[in-house]
Amino acid sequence: MRSRRAGNPEEVGFAGGRRRLRRRGASARPEHRPGHQPPAGRRRRARPGQARYVSLRGAPNYWTTLSFDGINVVSPEGRDARFDSVPSAIAAQIVVSKAVTPDMPGETVSGNVNIVTRSAFDYTGEHFAAKVGYGQAELGNRPQVEASAVYSNRFDMGEGELGVVVSGSYFERAMITDNFETDYERVSGDLRPGNTTRFWAQEAENKLYRLTRRNWSASGRLDYRQGDTKLSLRSIYTIFKDDEMRDNYRFDLDDRQSDLVSAAEACDTAINPTPTNTGYADICIGNTPLKGTIYGVDIRQRSTLRAFRQSIFTNTAEAEFAPADGWTVNLLGNYTESKDDRSVVGETTWESPSTRTARPTIAYDFSDPNRSRLILSTTNQLASPTRYQAGTPVTAIDTFSKPLTSLTLLDAVDTTKAYTARLVVTRETGFLGGDATLKAGFQFDQRTKVVDESNLVLNTAAQFAAVGIPTDYNLFSLDQEFLGRIPMDYTFRYFDPVKMRAAAEKARELYTFNPVTGNIYDVREQVFAGYLMGTVRWDFGSLVGGARGEHVKNRGIAQGTVGTTAGLVTAESDRTMVFPSLHFNYNLDETKKLRLSFNTGAARADYDQMRPNVVVNDSNQTISGGNPAVKPEKAWGLDGYFEWYLRPQGYLMAGVFYKNVRDVLYRQSRSFGSDALNSGGVDRSAYTFTGITNGGQGRVYGFEAAAQLQLEPWTKQIGLPSWMGGFGLSANVTYNNSEVTKPAIGTVPARKLRLPGTSDWVYNLSGYYEKYGLSLRLSYQKRTNWLDGYADDLTDAGDTYWATDDELDFSARYAISKNVEVFFDATNLLNNPGRRFAEPGNLLTATGTPTPFTDSYTIEWERFGRRFAGGFRVNF
């Protein structure tokens, strides 16, 4: 794979189906969009050891746009560009640009990743390449297989030449998850001294998944060239499929918190093994938020069989010709359709009976942030006054009664259709004593996202009997040992997917699906863009500048519910934005360059966040839904870089950057503040509204440095043997200092926070050896904590963060001949977990109760294990 320099690009390589981005502070990192909470069931979760999104300089991933051959790709998920669903077989080069120029989409803030697809003209003649590999995941000993092939050829047409290239790929990997999650809350009944800094676990959960993920791709491209005339037809079809069997064991610890005596006076905190209540949030029996015992806990178990599928089908026609000397005209049309199928084949829920003695007593211990200890025993009821006591220890959780309460089927497909038309006129001329390239571009984009969702819920004994599903979980499960390695204090049985599928198919035959109106919408976005851009090159450097103007029109149609009345809601908005940029490159000498840059951009809210669905609950005085009027998150920035290209080879770079941000996007609960939904004499302007909104402004500044060196040119000079010339080093470091002022909410005053999704430090270090046909590389990456989401109050224990993440990968290649290569990859060698935690400190400080920073409230912990794979590549 080749790379090229565009402004300040990053080099990206693919290996074993896993994305790696390892230069200049860039990181391929697993996370969902920071500061945003997608609709229920659609949260984009972190995947430790599995790169999914690309972050440049450790900034929010949604500041980076993805393109195929310069056309912005519509992701099935929305604006977030998910890279693990893009197969490497389609790519000739990956160009990552942090120098944002007017020919890039206006929503490019940090930079753009452009996947340049293979062309037959990349090769001198007929070409064939293929790859076959097999591997295994350490966790659960699950297999991994991959295969890809590319064929291209060039044909003399008499007048001109025709190039043809086709490719296909398949990548499958099975895996097991190690996971626990804990939700914390402020308990209103806990009034004892010190209650302001106590947060209790309302629910503890183990998510024990069996997964199989597959990627397919097929692509084809025709290119015709005659002189200055170029014609191209390109099609790419990619599919990402995720078959999941999810076993969730949820312990509803706060089920009976109303039993807690609401008293404010101090009490004795000695351990009492026979309390009159469940013990939840009761410090008077010796319980603390991180350690204690709860009597008669409700088990809410969920078994889910999913058939998740995402696809992208993109088609491009492009023509380029020179109507006159020095002039070039480029015409392009593109149609892309992406689908996000979130359907659930079947989901059963099982729940403990209301009798407390039929439920377990649980001794919990959350004091270790990397462990969730839940020790089970039976629950005994003692004589009057009614007291409860832990009985016999229990290891097999499925010995407790958990009758079937529901079977749910979900059909949910999001379809996005995008049309692009582009015209670019280029003029080569002289300007200010230099060689100039002037461009004028015009582009129209229309993207329409339609979400269709319906479900089927069965919850009666007659319905269960009709579809033939057992109501005793032990008759619905497999006698199979736990496949993961997380320490578990209880054993369980995986559900049987064959029985789930059979019951679901019968339910489809007998019953009718109902629309989920709150999640059905139709959103259309039109972007009318034009830009002027000039590049002037002199012997001493170059200047690239211009401006892009975009007029964006949004329209949303969705089902809204106000009280008991439902109906269609239509919302429209439009705005015009201008994005200037200027980049100056100065050659200090033939090997040293100074780069200065000014750039602008605006990240728009995702489509589902702009939908006009609205649900008004008059009883609770709440309003929830999308926000069609939300404004883009706008940014402007300054960069300064020094680059030194060592001779005969090597590279050093250092730079500083600053970016100013306003109208920061985040999810908020606030007073609605509008009479738009008033009707029937009901004033709803003071209702609590929850949804995406803008608030505050901020900035991020920092520095980055990078180096790439190999001993090869200097071994003789320093007296080393020739074989040592293969050793080399590639490294970079990025530092960010970010700050956002979040507006005041209720009694919580305005406060300063990090920019969501931004790490303070990002390190990448690779040591390699390349000589005699052998290539060895050991790569390490680390990024420090980053803010996941704001909190408006302390209800859920405050703001949330992802903990520091570091990864280590190894790869080996050996060329058996010029046409055959053998490879081996070992990924995620450190096998560290992805850990998300709640941090109340900033909010407590803002409300007048200072507390030291602590990350002890772990709310999510997940690990996937190491992976090893090897195989062959051929290239003819």
Side-chain angles (χ1 to χ4, degrees), residues 328-364:
T328 302
V329 176
N330 181 279
L331 295 167
L332 181 144
N334 175 270
Y335 169 72
T336 297
E337 179 175 299
S338 66
K339 288 183 178 291
D340 184 7
D341 188 337
R342 303 174 283 107
S343 298
V344 176
V345 176
E347 180 176 276
T348 56
T349 57
W350 317 77
E351 188 164 357
S352 299
S354 58
T355 304
R356 199 180 305 184
T357 52
R359 300 177 173 186
T361 288
I362 295 180
Y364 64 89

mmCIF file of all heavy atoms in Angstrom, residues 328-364:
data_model
loop_
_atom_site.group_PDB
_atom_site.id
_atom_site.type_symbol
_atom_site.label_atom_id
_atom_site.label_comp_id
_atom_site.label_asym_id
_atom_site.label_seq_id
_atom_site.Cartn_x
_atom_site.Cartn_y
_atom_site.Cartn_z
ATOM 1 N N THR A 328 -8.922 22.453 -16.969
ATOM 2 C CA THR A 328 -9.422 21.101 -16.731
ATOM 3 C C THR A 328 -10.812 21.196 -16.121
ATOM 4 O O THR A 328 -11.063 22.025 -15.234
ATOM 5 C CB THR A 328 -8.502 20.319 -15.771
ATOM 6 O OG1 THR A 328 -7.187 20.268 -16.303
ATOM 7 C CG2 THR A 328 -9.010 18.906 -15.569
ATOM 8 N N VAL A 329 -11.699 20.347 -16.612
ATOM 9 C CA VAL A 329 -13.058 20.283 -16.072
ATOM 10 C C VAL A 329 -13.292 18.875 -15.552
ATOM 11 O O VAL A 329 -13.021 17.889 -16.246
ATOM 12 C CB VAL A 329 -14.112 20.633 -17.145
ATOM 13 C CG1 VAL A 329 -15.519 20.466 -16.577
ATOM 14 C CG2 VAL A 329 -13.904 22.054 -17.648
ATOM 15 N N ASN A 330 -13.798 18.797 -14.313
ATOM 16 C CA ASN A 330 -14.103 17.503 -13.692
ATOM 17 C C ASN A 330 -15.580 17.470 -13.333
ATOM 18 O O ASN A 330 -16.093 18.370 -12.654
ATOM 19 C CB ASN A 330 -13.248 17.296 -12.439
ATOM 20 C CG ASN A 330 -13.509 15.951 -11.773
ATOM 21 O OD1 ASN A 330 -14.475 15.799 -11.033
ATOM 22 N ND2 ASN A 330 -12.651 14.985 -12.038
ATOM 23 N N LEU A 331 -16.268 16.433 -13.812
ATOM 24 C CA LEU A 331 -17.682 16.233 -13.524
ATOM 25 C C LEU A 331 -17.845 14.911 -12.776
ATOM 26 O O LEU A 331 -17.247 13.903 -13.166
ATOM 27 C CB LEU A 331 -18.509 16.190 -14.802
ATOM 28 C CG LEU A 331 -18.568 17.472 -15.625
ATOM 29 C CD1 LEU A 331 -19.157 17.185 -16.997
ATOM 30 C CD2 LEU A 331 -19.401 18.527 -14.905
ATOM 31 N N LEU A 332 -18.662 14.915 -11.733
ATOM 32 C CA LEU A 332 -18.822 13.703 -10.934
ATOM 33 C C LEU A 332 -20.260 13.586 -10.450
ATOM 34 O O LEU A 332 -20.888 14.583 -10.053
ATOM 35 C CB LEU A 332 -17.868 13.721 -9.744
ATOM 36 C CG LEU A 332 -17.877 12.508 -8.804
ATOM 37 C CD1 LEU A 332 -16.478 12.202 -8.297
ATOM 38 C CD2 LEU A 332 -18.820 12.764 -7.617
ATOM 39 N N GLY A 333 -20.768 12.360 -10.487
ATOM 40 C CA GLY A 333 -22.066 12.049 -9.908
ATOM 41 C C GLY A 333 -21.947 10.802 -9.047
ATOM 42 O O GLY A 333 -21.249 9.855 -9.413
ATOM 43 N N ASN A 334 -22.615 10.788 -7.922
ATOM 44 C CA ASN A 334 -22.518 9.659 -7.003
ATOM 45 C C ASN A 334 -23.884 9.354 -6.396
ATOM 46 O O ASN A 334 -24.652 10.265 -6.058
ATOM 47 C CB ASN A 334 -21.521 9.948 -5.875
ATOM 48 C CG ASN A 334 -21.482 8.848 -4.822
ATOM 49 O OD1 ASN A 334 -22.227 8.880 -3.847
ATOM 50 N ND2 ASN A 334 -20.612 7.870 -5.030
ATOM 51 N N TYR A 335 -24.161 8.065 -6.270
ATOM 52 C CA TYR A 335 -25.339 7.616 -5.533
ATOM 53 C C TYR A 335 -24.876 6.581 -4.513
ATOM 54 O O TYR A 335 -24.189 5.612 -4.854
ATOM 55 C CB TYR A 335 -26.375 6.973 -6.454
ATOM 56 C CG TYR A 335 -27.469 6.258 -5.691
ATOM 57 C CD1 TYR A 335 -28.437 6.977 -4.996
ATOM 58 C CD2 TYR A 335 -27.509 4.864 -5.628
ATOM 59 C CE1 TYR A 335 -29.431 6.323 -4.280
ATOM 60 C CE2 TYR A 335 -28.502 4.199 -4.912
ATOM 61 C CZ TYR A 335 -29.458 4.935 -4.235
ATOM 62 O OH TYR A 335 -30.433 4.299 -3.514
ATOM 63 N N THR A 336 -25.226 6.805 -3.268
ATOM 64 C CA THR A 336 -24.854 5.885 -2.196
ATOM 65 C C THR A 336 -26.094 5.533 -1.385
ATOM 66 O O THR A 336 -26.882 6.416 -1.030
ATOM 67 C CB THR A 336 -23.791 6.509 -1.267
ATOM 68 O OG1 THR A 336 -22.602 6.764 -2.005
ATOM 69 C CG2 THR A 336 -23.463 5.571 -0.112
ATOM 70 N N GLU A 337 -26.221 4.256 -1.106
ATOM 71 C CA GLU A 337 -27.297 3.803 -0.228
ATOM 72 C C GLU A 337 -26.677 3.002 0.906
ATOM 73 O O GLU A 337 -25.927 2.062 0.671
ATOM 74 C CB GLU A 337 -28.306 2.944 -0.983
ATOM 75 C CG GLU A 337 -29.442 2.437 -0.087
ATOM 76 C CD GLU A 337 -30.509 1.687 -0.860
ATOM 77 O OE1 GLU A 337 -31.130 2.291 -1.752
ATOM 78 O OE2 GLU A 337 -30.700 0.477 -0.590
ATOM 79 N N SER A 338 -26.978 3.394 2.105
ATOM 80 C CA SER A 338 -26.486 2.650 3.269
ATOM 81 C C SER A 338 -27.665 2.194 4.102
ATOM 82 O O SER A 338 -28.684 2.890 4.201
ATOM 83 C CB SER A 338 -25.547 3.517 4.119
ATOM 84 O OG SER A 338 -26.256 4.590 4.708
ATOM 85 N N LYS A 339 -27.513 1.018 4.685
ATOM 86 C CA LYS A 339 -28.558 0.453 5.523
ATOM 87 C C LYS A 339 -27.978 0.045 6.874
ATOM 88 O O LYS A 339 -26.891 -0.525 6.943
ATOM 89 C CB LYS A 339 -29.202 -0.764 4.854
ATOM 90 C CG LYS A 339 -30.097 -0.436 3.659
ATOM 91 C CD LYS A 339 -30.741 -1.691 3.111
ATOM 92 C CE LYS A 339 -31.671 -1.373 1.938
ATOM 93 N NZ LYS A 339 -32.872 -0.647 2.387
ATOM 94 N N ASP A 340 -28.724 0.327 7.901
ATOM 95 C CA ASP A 340 -28.376 -0.082 9.264
ATOM 96 C C ASP A 340 -29.537 -0.917 9.789
ATOM 97 O O ASP A 340 -30.571 -0.386 10.193
ATOM 98 C CB ASP A 340 -28.151 1.159 10.130
ATOM 99 C CG ASP A 340 -27.682 0.811 11.533
ATOM 100 O OD1 ASP A 340 -27.408 -0.374 11.792
ATOM 101 O OD2 ASP A 340 -27.582 1.734 12.365
ATOM 102 N N ASP A 341 -29.378 -2.237 9.728
ATOM 103 C CA ASP A 341 -30.420 -3.159 10.166
ATOM 104 C C ASP A 341 -30.153 -3.531 11.618
ATOM 105 O O ASP A 341 -29.215 -4.260 11.925
ATOM 106 C CB ASP A 341 -30.424 -4.402 9.273
ATOM 107 C CG ASP A 341 -31.611 -5.319 9.539
ATOM 108 O OD1 ASP A 341 -32.168 -5.249 10.652
ATOM 109 O OD2 ASP A 341 -31.971 -6.103 8.647
ATOM 110 N N ARG A 342 -30.985 -3.041 12.512
ATOM 111 C CA ARG A 342 -30.804 -3.238 13.950
ATOM 112 C C ARG A 342 -31.769 -4.280 14.505
ATOM 113 O O ARG A 342 -32.051 -4.308 15.704
ATOM 114 C CB ARG A 342 -31.026 -1.909 14.679
ATOM 115 C CG ARG A 342 -30.130 -0.796 14.217
ATOM 116 C CD ARG A 342 -30.485 0.537 14.860
ATOM 117 N NE ARG A 342 -31.662 1.157 14.260
ATOM 118 C CZ ARG A 342 -32.845 1.231 14.825
ATOM 119 N NH1 ARG A 342 -33.038 0.713 16.015
ATOM 120 N NH2 ARG A 342 -33.859 1.819 14.211
ATOM 121 N N SER A 343 -32.277 -5.129 13.639
ATOM 122 C CA SER A 343 -33.330 -6.057 14.030
ATOM 123 C C SER A 343 -32.885 -7.039 15.114
ATOM 124 O O SER A 343 -31.714 -7.406 15.191
ATOM 125 C CB SER A 343 -33.822 -6.841 12.813
ATOM 126 O OG SER A 343 -34.374 -5.954 11.846
ATOM 127 N N VAL A 344 -33.826 -7.429 15.921
ATOM 128 C CA VAL A 344 -33.622 -8.434 16.965
ATOM 129 C C VAL A 344 -34.481 -9.641 16.613
ATOM 130 O O VAL A 344 -35.705 -9.535 16.516
ATOM 131 C CB VAL A 344 -34.008 -7.890 18.355
ATOM 132 C CG1 VAL A 344 -33.886 -8.979 19.409
ATOM 133 C CG2 VAL A 344 -33.125 -6.697 18.715
ATOM 134 N N VAL A 345 -33.840 -10.779 16.409
ATOM 135 C CA VAL A 345 -34.572 -12.010 16.070
ATOM 136 C C VAL A 345 -35.532 -12.362 17.192
ATOM 137 O O VAL A 345 -36.705 -12.691 16.959
ATOM 138 C CB VAL A 345 -33.589 -13.164 15.814
ATOM 139 C CG1 VAL A 345 -34.340 -14.469 15.569
ATOM 140 C CG2 VAL A 345 -32.691 -12.837 14.635
ATOM 141 N N GLY A 346 -35.046 -12.288 18.403
ATOM 142 C CA GLY A 346 -35.895 -12.568 19.556
ATOM 143 C C GLY A 346 -35.207 -12.173 20.846
ATOM 144 O O GLY A 346 -33.977 -12.295 20.964
ATOM 145 N N GLU A 347 -35.977 -11.671 21.786
ATOM 146 C CA GLU A 347 -35.436 -11.315 23.098
ATOM 147 C C GLU A 347 -36.430 -11.746 24.167
ATOM 148 O O GLU A 347 -37.589 -11.346 24.141
ATOM 149 C CB GLU A 347 -35.178 -9.819 23.193
ATOM 150 C CG GLU A 347 -34.618 -9.388 24.547
ATOM 151 C CD GLU A 347 -34.278 -7.913 24.587
ATOM 152 O OE1 GLU A 347 -33.167 -7.558 24.138
ATOM 153 O OE2 GLU A 347 -35.133 -7.122 25.031
ATOM 154 N N THR A 348 -35.959 -12.564 25.086
ATOM 155 C CA THR A 348 -36.795 -12.998 26.199
ATOM 156 C C THR A 348 -36.347 -12.319 27.478
ATOM 157 O O THR A 348 -35.162 -12.036 27.668
ATOM 158 C CB THR A 348 -36.718 -14.526 26.392
ATOM 159 O OG1 THR A 348 -35.342 -14.908 26.560
ATOM 160 C CG2 THR A 348 -37.307 -15.251 25.194
ATOM 161 N N THR A 349 -37.284 -12.036 28.354
ATOM 162 C CA THR A 349 -36.963 -11.497 29.677
ATOM 163 C C THR A 349 -37.496 -12.460 30.724
ATOM 164 O O THR A 349 -38.581 -13.039 30.584
ATOM 165 C CB THR A 349 -37.581 -10.104 29.897
ATOM 166 O OG1 THR A 349 -38.997 -10.178 29.703
ATOM 167 C CG2 THR A 349 -36.998 -9.099 28.932
ATOM 168 N N TRP A 350 -36.705 -12.630 31.764
ATOM 169 C CA TRP A 350 -37.023 -13.539 32.863
ATOM 170 C C TRP A 350 -36.837 -12.748 34.151
ATOM 171 O O TRP A 350 -35.844 -12.039 34.317
ATOM 172 C CB TRP A 350 -36.090 -14.747 32.850
ATOM 173 C CG TRP A 350 -35.856 -15.326 31.476
ATOM 174 C CD1 TRP A 350 -35.040 -14.830 30.506
ATOM 175 C CD2 TRP A 350 -36.468 -16.488 30.929
ATOM 176 N NE1 TRP A 350 -35.090 -15.608 29.383
ATOM 177 C CE2 TRP A 350 -35.959 -16.655 29.617
ATOM 178 C CE3 TRP A 350 -37.374 -17.439 31.411
ATOM 179 C CZ2 TRP A 350 -36.340 -17.696 28.778
ATOM 180 C CZ3 TRP A 350 -37.752 -18.486 30.600
ATOM 181 C CH2 TRP A 350 -37.240 -18.613 29.297
ATOM 182 N N GLU A 351 -37.772 -12.855 35.087
ATOM 183 C CA GLU A 351 -37.693 -12.016 36.280
ATOM 184 C C GLU A 351 -38.111 -12.783 37.518
ATOM 185 O O GLU A 351 -39.021 -13.621 37.489
ATOM 186 C CB GLU A 351 -38.574 -10.771 36.110
ATOM 187 C CG GLU A 351 -38.393 -9.748 37.214
ATOM 188 C CD GLU A 351 -38.957 -8.391 36.842
ATOM 189 O OE1 GLU A 351 -39.447 -8.225 35.708
ATOM 190 O OE2 GLU A 351 -38.899 -7.489 37.694
ATOM 191 N N SER A 352 -37.419 -12.437 38.611
ATOM 192 C CA SER A 352 -37.713 -13.092 39.897
ATOM 193 C C SER A 352 -39.147 -12.807 40.326
ATOM 194 O O SER A 352 -39.697 -11.731 40.050
ATOM 195 C CB SER A 352 -36.765 -12.580 40.974
ATOM 196 O OG SER A 352 -35.425 -12.851 40.654
ATOM 197 N N PRO A 353 -39.770 -13.737 41.030
ATOM 198 C CA PRO A 353 -41.112 -13.478 41.592
ATOM 199 C C PRO A 353 -41.019 -12.419 42.683
ATOM 200 O O PRO A 353 -39.937 -12.091 43.177
ATOM 201 C CB PRO A 353 -41.530 -14.840 42.141
ATOM 202 C CG PRO A 353 -40.257 -15.581 42.370
ATOM 203 C CD PRO A 353 -39.296 -15.105 41.318
ATOM 204 N N SER A 354 -42.173 -11.887 43.074
ATOM 205 C CA SER A 354 -42.181 -10.789 44.047
ATOM 206 C C SER A 354 -41.851 -11.257 45.466
ATOM 207 O O SER A 354 -41.444 -10.451 46.303
ATOM 208 C CB SER A 354 -43.549 -10.101 44.041
ATOM 209 O OG SER A 354 -44.580 -11.042 44.340
ATOM 210 N N THR A 355 -42.029 -12.531 45.750
ATOM 211 C CA THR A 355 -41.725 -13.045 47.090
ATOM 212 C C THR A 355 -40.225 -12.935 47.359
ATOM 213 O O THR A 355 -39.409 -13.515 46.653
ATOM 214 C CB THR A 355 -42.155 -14.515 47.217
ATOM 215 O OG1 THR A 355 -43.547 -14.622 46.902
ATOM 216 C CG2 THR A 355 -41.902 -15.029 48.622
ATOM 217 N N ARG A 356 -39.883 -12.212 48.425
ATOM 218 C CA ARG A 356 -38.480 -11.930 48.654
ATOM 219 C C ARG A 356 -37.667 -13.174 48.976
ATOM 220 O O ARG A 356 -36.496 -13.287 48.611
ATOM 221 C CB ARG A 356 -38.320 -10.901 49.768
ATOM 222 C CG ARG A 356 -36.955 -10.225 49.737
ATOM 223 C CD ARG A 356 -36.754 -9.200 50.825
ATOM 224 N NE ARG A 356 -37.802 -8.183 50.829
ATOM 225 C CZ ARG A 356 -37.795 -7.134 51.656
ATOM 226 N NH1 ARG A 356 -36.822 -7.000 52.529
ATOM 227 N NH2 ARG A 356 -38.770 -6.263 51.625
ATOM 228 N N THR A 357 -38.266 -14.137 49.629
ATOM 229 C CA THR A 357 -37.516 -15.345 49.980
ATOM 230 C C THR A 357 -37.257 -16.229 48.761
ATOM 231 O O THR A 357 -36.497 -17.199 48.857
ATOM 232 C CB THR A 357 -38.277 -16.151 51.043
ATOM 233 O OG1 THR A 357 -39.623 -16.370 50.609
ATOM 234 C CG2 THR A 357 -38.287 -15.402 52.370
ATOM 235 N N ALA A 358 -37.896 -15.934 47.621
ATOM 236 C CA ALA A 358 -37.606 -16.664 46.383
ATOM 237 C C ALA A 358 -36.481 -15.991 45.599
ATOM 238 O O ALA A 358 -36.081 -16.484 44.546
ATOM 239 C CB ALA A 358 -38.860 -16.758 45.517
ATOM 240 N N ARG A 359 -35.977 -14.902 46.140
ATOM 241 C CA ARG A 359 -34.906 -14.144 45.486
ATOM 242 C C ARG A 359 -33.593 -14.342 46.246
ATOM 243 O O ARG A 359 -33.593 -14.691 47.427
ATOM 244 C CB ARG A 359 -35.252 -12.649 45.454
ATOM 245 C CG ARG A 359 -36.530 -12.315 44.711
ATOM 246 C CD ARG A 359 -36.811 -10.817 44.818
ATOM 247 N NE ARG A 359 -37.938 -10.407 43.999
ATOM 248 C CZ ARG A 359 -38.312 -9.143 43.838
ATOM 249 N NH1 ARG A 359 -37.643 -8.177 44.465
ATOM 250 N NH2 ARG A 359 -39.343 -8.844 43.078
ATOM 251 N N PRO A 360 -32.467 -14.027 45.598
ATOM 252 C CA PRO A 360 -31.177 -14.185 46.288
ATOM 253 C C PRO A 360 -30.840 -13.005 47.188
ATOM 254 O O PRO A 360 -31.281 -11.881 46.956
ATOM 255 C CB PRO A 360 -30.177 -14.279 45.136
ATOM 256 C CG PRO A 360 -30.801 -13.462 44.044
ATOM 257 C CD PRO A 360 -32.289 -13.707 44.164
ATOM 258 N N THR A 361 -30.089 -13.294 48.218
ATOM 259 C CA THR A 361 -29.381 -12.244 48.956
ATOM 260 C C THR A 361 -28.004 -12.100 48.305
ATOM 261 O O THR A 361 -27.360 -13.100 47.980
ATOM 262 C CB THR A 361 -29.245 -12.622 50.434
ATOM 263 O OG1 THR A 361 -30.525 -12.508 51.057
ATOM 264 C CG2 THR A 361 -28.250 -11.725 51.161
ATOM 265 N N ILE A 362 -27.561 -10.860 48.131
ATOM 266 C CA ILE A 362 -26.309 -10.626 47.405
ATOM 267 C C ILE A 362 -25.356 -9.805 48.259
ATOM 268 O O ILE A 362 -25.701 -8.710 48.727
ATOM 269 C CB ILE A 362 -26.573 -9.907 46.075
ATOM 270 C CG1 ILE A 362 -27.381 -10.814 45.145
ATOM 271 C CG2 ILE A 362 -25.262 -9.494 45.413
ATOM 272 C CD1 ILE A 362 -27.686 -10.197 43.797
ATOM 273 N N ALA A 363 -24.167 -10.343 48.469
ATOM 274 C CA ALA A 363 -23.076 -9.589 49.077
ATOM 275 C C ALA A 363 -22.270 -8.990 47.936
ATOM 276 O O ALA A 363 -21.689 -9.712 47.123
ATOM 277 C CB ALA A 363 -22.216 -10.499 49.936
ATOM 278 N N TYR A 364 -22.268 -7.659 47.840
ATOM 279 C CA TYR A 364 -21.607 -6.978 46.724
ATOM 280 C C TYR A 364 -20.305 -6.329 47.190
ATOM 281 O O TYR A 364 -20.166 -5.922 48.340
ATOM 282 C CB TYR A 364 -22.529 -5.934 46.095
ATOM 283 C CG TYR A 364 -22.898 -4.785 47.019
ATOM 284 C CD1 TYR A 364 -22.110 -3.635 47.088
ATOM 285 C CD2 TYR A 364 -24.034 -4.849 47.813
ATOM 286 C CE1 TYR A 364 -22.443 -2.585 47.925
ATOM 287 C CE2 TYR A 364 -24.383 -3.809 48.662
ATOM 288 C CZ TYR A 364 -23.578 -2.670 48.716
ATOM 289 O OH TYR A 364 -23.904 -1.634 49.563
#
